[in-house]
Amino acid sequence: VLDAAGAADQARNALADWVTDHDDDAQALFRLRDVDIAAQNWPGVADACAALIVLLEGTDQVDAALLMADACEASEDADRGRQALEYVFHVQSSATRLLERLRTLYEQTGAFRELAGLLSHEAQSTEDTDRAFELFRRAGRVLIENVGDAEAALPMLQHAVQAKPEDHRTVVLLADAYIGSGYFAECGQLLEDA
């Protein structure tokens, strides 16, 4: 009624008050979200999406998380958006759009350890052995080159070498990780077997 009478701000505030007391009213949250999108009130959009994430499931939940991340980015609160993406990804780890968004976010923000974990998760989830090989190798390389943690790279590079033992670049990368971790005997055995 207030919105139709030209009192958009009052209508938005009344709706916000309503959802404060009725945070399980998805229909009101969707309406508030849409009002805030139209007004480019990005903190408001993020708040509505945060409440919706808890209520929704499936692709609706994924959509809410992605929109929340966009809104948080627009309001310069990227950490909050990242937390929403990670929360929903934890619940829906097969959601490709979330995985891609998190991968991009981690690359852009230099969250390389998290990126390696995400790549490893993706490698373990795929049935495509060539793709798994590439993902494990990339995860290991990220840990060595960007994080400086050769020991954490070992399991990922071991999986990569196991998938393609003839790939000499990956064998050398694993040998470097063994040396960087102080596993000289394992390095010698690996090179002997190669």
Side-chain angles (χ1 to χ4, degrees):
V1 174
L2 288 171
D3 195 25
D9 288 341
Q10 281 182 293
R12 190 254 174 232
N13 292 338
L15 191 53
D17 289 343
W18 171 263
V19 299
T20 298
D21 295 331
H22 303 88
D23 60 356
D24 60 342
D25 186 342
Q27 204 171 19
L29 285 163
F30 279 121
R31 178 69 182 128
L32 180 60
R33 180 204 64 190
D34 293 345
V35 166
D36 284 339
I37 288 172
Q40 296 185 357
N41 173 10
W42 303 123
V45 172
D47 290 343
C49 287
L52 286 167
I53 285 170
V54 176
L55 297 176
L56 302 174
E57 296 178 345
T59 57
D60 291 335
Q61 186 182 45
V62 171
D63 291 341
L66 292 169
L67 180 57
M68 181 174 172
D70 290 341
C72 288
E73 187 176 310
S75 61
E76 298 180 9
D77 191 7
D79 285 341
R80 185 175 181 212
R82 174 181 166 172
Q83 291 169 4
L85 293 171
E86 289 172 338
Y87 169 78
V88 176
F89 186 73
H90 179 72
V91 175
Q92 298 193 50
S93 61
S94 63
T96 306
R97 292 183 302 148
L98 282 175
L99 189 132
E100 290 170 357
R101 180 66 178 268
L102 278 170
R103 186 181 323 121
T104 301
L105 178 69
Y106 292 156
E107 288 169 346
Q108 290 174 342
T109 61
F112 294 115
R113 187 173 300 279
E114 292 84 350
L115 174 61
L118 193 65
L119 294 169
S120 177
H121 168 81
E122 189 177 357
Q124 293 168 6
S125 301
T126 186
E127 302 211 4
D128 180 343
T129 54
D130 288 336
R131 177 112 175 101
F133 164 75
E134 291 296 333
L135 290 165
F136 277 128
R137 182 173 67 180
R138 182 171 175 216
R141 174 171 267 129
V142 164
L143 284 168
I144 291 171
E145 295 176 0
N146 299 101
V147 179
D149 191 347
E151 191 158 359
L154 287 173
M156 294 165 200
L157 293 172
Q158 289 165 338
H159 284 298
V161 167
Q162 205 170 28
K164 286 192 178 182
E166 73 284 356
D167 188 278
H168 295 293
R169 291 183 326 169
T170 307
V171 170
V172 169
L173 195 58
L174 177 56
D176 288 345
Y178 277 136
I179 291 169
S181 302
Y183 296 113
F184 303 111
E186 289 83 350
C187 178
Q189 185 64 50
L190 173 71
L191 295 175
E192 197 174 296
D193 293 344

